[in-house]
Amino acid sequence: MKYFYFLGLIVVLSSAFVSSPVTNQSQPIIKASMDRGKIIYLQRCMACHQVDGSGGPRLNPPLDGASTVKGNDKLKLVRIIIKGMTERVEIDGEYYDNNMSANPDLTDTQIADVLNYIRNSWGNKASIVTIAEVKAARTKIK
Amino acid sequence: MFSFVFSSQIQHHMKKMFLIFLLTSISFVSNANDSIKVNITNQVVANADNAGLILPSGFGALIAADNLGRARHIVATKQGGIYVKLERLVGGKGIIYLTDANKDGKMEVETSFGNYIGTGIAIKDNYLYASSNEDVFRYQLNENGKVTNPDNPQRIVKGLWDKRQHASKSIVLDNAGNIYVNIGAPSNSCQEVDRTKGSKGMYPCPILDSAGGIWQFKVDQTDQGYHNGVRYATGLRNVVGLDWNQQQNKLYVTMHGRDMLYTLYPNLFDTTVSAELPSETMYEINKGDDAGWPYVYYDHFQKKKVLSPEYGGDGKKAGGEKAIDPIVAFPAHMAPNALLFYTGDQFPAKYKNGAFVAFHGSWNRSPLPQEGYYVVFIPFENGKPSGQWEVFANGFSGTEVVKNPRDAKHRPCGLTEGPDGSLYVSDDVKGTIYRIVYNAK
């Protein structure tokens, strides 16, 4: 188990140099990352964003289909996870009232995993987020 | 001069569920040139499928209006019109005035006004009161129940906290020239960092100075604010439903309880307990009361106030010795958005002076199915519940089980009683106004 995790880590790290959409080749890696990400999602995110990522109307934005979640601004996504969100902002044409939790205690790996889970679950499909990308993003977040 | 108008709105659907509701009273309608028309055959026809609602035997429902936008609270005039407060502007307007000129039960938009969003709307003594998320406005009503100054209301309260979360300001009036405004706490449980694992609860909770309670203001003074309002009750996280009980001459409220026990304290609670707790609560409020938020929450299984985990609680330790107890405790997270004491004569006697509560429906019960999305009834005697609560009107969501709140097609949000004793329910998903009637015999 540890061996596979290590192997996965290597591949995820190496893929940091190529930010590509999910291909057949990267399926096993993203599967492993998503599986770990799902556990974090159920503990930290599910209460508000729901099991199917549909959110709570006008309270908690949906993740399924959300342009930011599927988008390429990974720095923004890492920032939202680490710092939470308390501003009144329009998200895909709607406003949401609840504050989002800050999660500064999540490791770079955990953040990459949960991002890979939400970016490739339900109707979402997006490129892999690597640990290196999270690490680099974290240095830019104050 | 009297002229008699006989309605010809008799329809001949012969479906099984067909109900005809005959108004028992003759209504006198004064028109512009002072002649009086008398409608003696008013009929309201319930929809064949009761507008999709499941109701107790003998009741029927029809759609009074539809597609209005995000219809929050509603209030009926003495003349039978309805004002609807919108959470999002439609055509730049936040209040809709509905009337039913031909008395067939289908209401038409007569006018709309008010360039602000919000939830609260109420009528007292020929004035209409409406709230934005920061202010409260007052409009003059004419003898037909129509607002005379739609563009120039008196701003009676201004500058209340609008910090996004729990920002809606529900309102109700007493019989002594006061208005009561809910100021919801912009917080889940007064943590240093809201809704964040490991963040401590602040003590004392500084939010309670400006929110998390009911404030009392005068109905007729301009631009009142925190400095001249009275904090009438505190320790109330977010009250969306409130009503003035005329029998008791007293305020009653329904509160939205806290969220995320499991997410914030996975070492103390599992997902099932977190879905089932804490109770949604109804309180009878006396001036100066404290309902205990954020330090305690109510547990209807243990039947006691439990110390919040942010303040050293473990799910068992009691707390809040000085805080009031609820008079009704409902299952968790169902979001009681409106409270109405029924004073009409149309419904059977058991409903008289009892309470209706509109539950907007939960989101915080995942991964269990969501709950609520219905209107309940609680029988009352002498201002106290005299029996268990029961689901009165169900079926708003249009689906057997609501897995996720997005699945609900309609969500009950506001309640008002028409002059004939009909119960109106608003829905803030599609903007449907339901009218529930009792088919006497």
Side-chain angles (χ1 to χ4, degrees):
Chain A
M1 190 63 203
K2 251 186 184 153
Y3 171 75
F4 283 113
Y5 182 72
F6 183 64
L7 198 72
L9 204 68
I10 299 274
V11 185
V12 170
L13 276 169
S14 61
S15 71
F17 300 101
V18 205
S19 180
S20 60
V22 178
T23 63
N24 286 338
Q25 268 188 330
S26 56
Q27 278 306 332
I29 298 104
I30 192 157
K31 171 88 169 59
S33 177
M34 283 173 64
D35 286 350
R36 296 188 301 269
K38 182 174 183 177
I39 294 165
I40 298 160
Y41 182 83
L42 293 178
Q43 288 168 349
R44 299 280 180 120
C45 322
M46 175 270 291
C48 297
H49 294 291
Q50 307 296 310
V51 173
D52 66 352
S54 62
R58 294 171 242 170
L59 295 174
N60 315 309
L63 302 178
D64 182 17
S67 57
T68 299
V69 173
K70 295 189 293 183
N72 292 320
D73 191 348
K74 295 175 184 176
L75 173 61
K76 183 177 179 181
L77 290 169
V78 173
R79 179 184 282 119
I80 290 171
I81 289 180
I82 291 176
K83 305 295 279 187
M85 238 171 112
T86 56
E87 311 84 42
R88 190 190 299 273
V89 288
E90 190 174 336
I91 301 169
D92 296 334
E94 183 58 274
Y95 290 90
Y96 297 88
D97 286 351
N98 278 349
N99 291 330
M100 173 163 154
S101 313
N103 297 275
D105 57 320
L106 289 182
T107 65
D108 295 343
T109 310
Q110 288 175 313
I111 291 173
D113 288 344
V114 79
L115 280 173
N116 284 327
Y117 178 70
I118 65 170
R119 281 161 63 84
N120 293 283
S121 294
W122 320 301
N124 290 348
K125 205 157 179 57
S127 63
I128 288 179
V129 175
T130 67
I131 297 160
E133 283 175 316
V134 176
K135 193 181 177 67
R138 198 191 285 268
T139 63
K140 294 178 191 158
I141 297 164
K142 281 284 158 287
Chain B
M1 286 291 288
F2 288 86
S3 64
F4 290 88
V5 179
F6 292 86
S7 167
S8 61
Q9 299 283 325
I10 300 166
Q11 299 172 35
H12 291 282
H13 301 286
M14 295 304 288
K15 289 181 183 170
K16 200 168 135 197
M17 296 297 290
F18 190 71
L19 288 171
I20 292 177
F21 171 67
L22 290 170
L23 291 180
T24 50
S25 64
I26 296 169
S27 65
F28 290 81
V29 184
S30 153
N31 69 12
N33 58 14
D34 287 326
S35 72
I36 296 170
K37 291 178 181 174
V38 185
N39 286 356
I40 60 167
T41 58
N42 284 343
Q43 295 188 344
V44 174
V45 181
N47 293 27
D49 66 347
N50 286 334
L53 301 187
I54 301 148
L55 299 163
S57 171
F59 286 89
L62 57 142
I63 290 172
D66 213 353
N67 299 312
L68 296 179
R70 295 178 179 178
R72 297 287 288 177
H73 283 176
I74 51 177
V75 64
T77 67
K78 282 183 288 194
Q79 297 82 0
I82 291 181
Y83 288 96
V84 182
K85 189 75 200 76
L86 300 179
E87 200 181 54
R88 203 175 229 200
L89 301 183
V90 173
K93 308 295 181 189
I95 301 172
I96 292 175
Y97 178 46
L98 300 170
T99 52
D100 181 13
N102 64 2
K103 305 287 180 194
D104 65 347
K106 286 273 171 205
M107 306 191 81
E108 293 81 39
V109 176
E110 182 169 321
T111 181
S112 57
F113 56 97
N115 62 352
Y116 51 92
I117 62 164
T119 289
I121 197 149
I123 287 177
K124 185 78 182 172
D125 298 337
N126 295 322
Y127 286 99
L128 175 76
Y129 298 81
S131 67
S132 69
N133 290 339
E134 294 181 323
D135 308 325
V136 183
F137 300 92
R138 174 164 101 141
Y139 301 83
Q140 179 83 51
L141 296 175
N142 70 14
E143 67 280 7
N144 298 319
K146 186 172 180 177
V147 162
T148 60
N149 55 337
D151 300 323
N152 304 294
Q154 178 188 11
R155 185 172 63 188
I156 60 170
V157 181
K158 71 162 188 176
L160 304 180
W161 271 17
D162 173 7
K163 295 181 186 285
R164 202 162 71 100
Q165 190 175 186
H166 305 152
S168 69
K169 303 291 180 286
S170 298
I171 54 174
V172 74
L173 295 104
D174 67 12
N175 299 306
N178 299 304
I179 184 166
Y180 300 81
V181 184
N182 170 62
I183 307 178
S187 172
N188 178 41
S189 51
C190 208
Q191 289 172 287
E192 287 168 356
V193 186
D194 189 30
R195 295 178 188 267
T196 291
K197 196 178 169 209
S199 178
K200 277 190 243 146
M202 293 185 275
Y203 188 84
C205 175
I207 290 170
L208 293 171
D209 294 342
S210 311
I214 307 288
W215 266 253
Q216 183 195 52
F217 299 96
K218 297 291 174 202
V219 294
D220 56 358
Q221 291 174 19
T222 301
D223 283 351
Q224 301 164 87
Y226 283 110
H227 62 287
N228 50 2
V230 174
R231 192 179 74 173
Y232 191 76
T234 190
L236 292 157
R237 179 176 174 272
N238 186 31
V239 165
V240 187
L242 74 181
D243 197 12
W244 192 262
N245 184 308
Q246 298 296 342
Q247 266 194 322
Q248 304 301 316
N249 201 32
K250 195 180 276 190
L251 179 66
Y252 288 69
V253 304
T254 55
M255 187 181 94
H256 288 210
R258 58 159 304 153
D259 304 318
M260 299 168 78
L261 285 171
Y262 164 74
T263 315
L264 299 172
Y265 295 92
N267 54 325
L268 295 174
F269 305 96
D270 64 22
T271 49
T272 304
V273 171
S274 191
E276 302 287 1
L277 284 176
S279 323
E280 299 288 57
T281 45
M282 182 192 292
Y283 299 97
E284 173 186 347
I285 298 289
N286 290 297
K287 187 174 182 179
D289 276 348
D290 179 351
W293 181 90
Y295 313 118
V296 293
Y297 63 83
Y298 196 76
D299 179 329
H300 53 290
F301 300 105
Q302 300 185 67
K303 294 190 166 50
K304 66 180 188 187
K305 297 186 291 286
V306 175
L307 198 60
S308 300
E310 289 82 359
Y311 295 90
D314 60 359
K316 295 183 191 76
K317 273 186 231 163
E321 290 74 19
K322 289 178 181 167
I324 56 171
D325 279 316
I327 57 168
V328 188
F330 301 97
H333 311 305
M334 303 203 306
N337 268 15
L339 168 64
L340 176 95
F341 286 99
Y342 185 77
T343 58
D345 295 317
Q346 186 189 130
F347 291 3
K350 87 170 214 188
Y351 294 97
K352 184 102 178 184
N353 300 314
F356 287 102
V357 178
F359 284 97
H360 200 222
S362 69
W363 57 268
N364 194 213
R365 294 175 68 97
S366 188
L368 302 190
Q370 302 300 336
E371 262 298 331
Y373 304 90
Y374 44 59
V375 176
V376 311
F377 176 73
I378 309 110
F380 266 69
E381 261 172 40
N382 302 317
K384 309 281 184 200
S386 59
Q388 294 298 308
W389 64 274
E390 62 196 39
V391 174
F392 172 76
N394 204 348
F396 294 93
S397 70
T399 170
E400 198 89 344
V401 175
V402 179
K403 246 336 237 166
N404 306 289
R406 189 165 72 174
D407 301 341
K409 292 183 177 64
H410 302 273
R411 302 178 75 176
C413 188
L415 296 170
T416 191
E417 183 186 313
D420 69 339
S422 295
L423 179 70
Y424 292 87
V425 184
S426 62
D427 142 56
D428 68 350
V429 179
K430 298 251 168 60
T432 304
I433 308 294
Y434 297 85
R435 180 176 180 176
I436 300 174
V437 296
Y438 187 68
N439 173 36
K441 289 165 284 293

